[in-house]
């Protein structure tokens, strides 16, 4: 008995990358930094990451093959610091979110140790196309 994968179903033509997308999102990820995802309207979303201690130049946001990738790396202080207790996480991180087709990044801001990334869903125009039938 052969197993028919979701992406190879005969009625789902052109969705062969869907299975890879599901596998990529299902991979376990670190819980750092914590984040929220909120709906801010019918077609608007916001991802908020807790990035206390990171400056704007320590953060980068890229869109790579429908994946929104947020990275943070704190620069080392030039002066030697001696910590008696270090309870504030200062490690580098990478957090990825897969965006659906039509979802675009509207902007990003930092406020009170939080990084806000605003997303919007664009509504594509419906196009009806007539395909001519050629005779042989």
């Amino acid at each position: 008995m052969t197993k028919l994968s979701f992406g190879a179903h005969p009625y789902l033509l052109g969705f062969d990358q869907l299975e890879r997308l599901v596998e990529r999102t299902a991979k376990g990820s670190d819980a750092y930094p914590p984040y929220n995802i909120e709906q801010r309207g019918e077609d608007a979303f916001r991802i908020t990451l807790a990035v206390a201690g990171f400056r704007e130049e320590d953060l980068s946001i890229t869109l790579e093959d429908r994946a929104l990738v947020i990275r943070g790396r704190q620069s080392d202080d030039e002066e030697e610091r001696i910590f008696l207790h270090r309870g504030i996480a200062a490690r580098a991180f990478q957090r990825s979110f897969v965006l659906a087709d039509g979802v675009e990044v509207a902007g990003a801001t930092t406020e009170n140790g939080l990084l806000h990334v605003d997303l919007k869903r664009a509504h594509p125009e419906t196009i009806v196309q007539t395909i001519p039938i050629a005779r042989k």
Side-chain angles (χ1 to χ4, degrees), residues 115-133:
L115 172 65
H116 302 290
V117 180
D118 292 313
L119 307 170
K120 65 178 181 177
R121 182 184 332 229
H123 289 288
E125 295 181 23
T126 303
I127 298 173
V128 178
Q129 185 178 7
T130 303
I131 310 299
I133 302 171

Side-chain angles (χ1 to χ4, degrees), residues 14-61:
F15 286 90
D16 50 331
Q17 294 182 13
L18 185 60
E19 194 163 5
R20 284 188 296 242
L21 177 67
V22 171
E23 289 175 5
R24 186 168 66 181
T25 57
K27 288 182 182 177
S29 64
D30 192 8
Y32 177 77
Y35 66 94
N36 292 335
I37 300 175
E38 59 183 299
Q39 188 162 1
R40 298 179 52 89
E42 187 175 324
D43 296 317
F45 308 93
R46 174 176 272 184
I47 299 171
T48 301
L49 281 83
V51 292
F54 286 86
R55 299 173 302 184
E56 287 182 26
E57 53 268 15
D58 296 336
L59 302 168
S60 72
I61 303 170

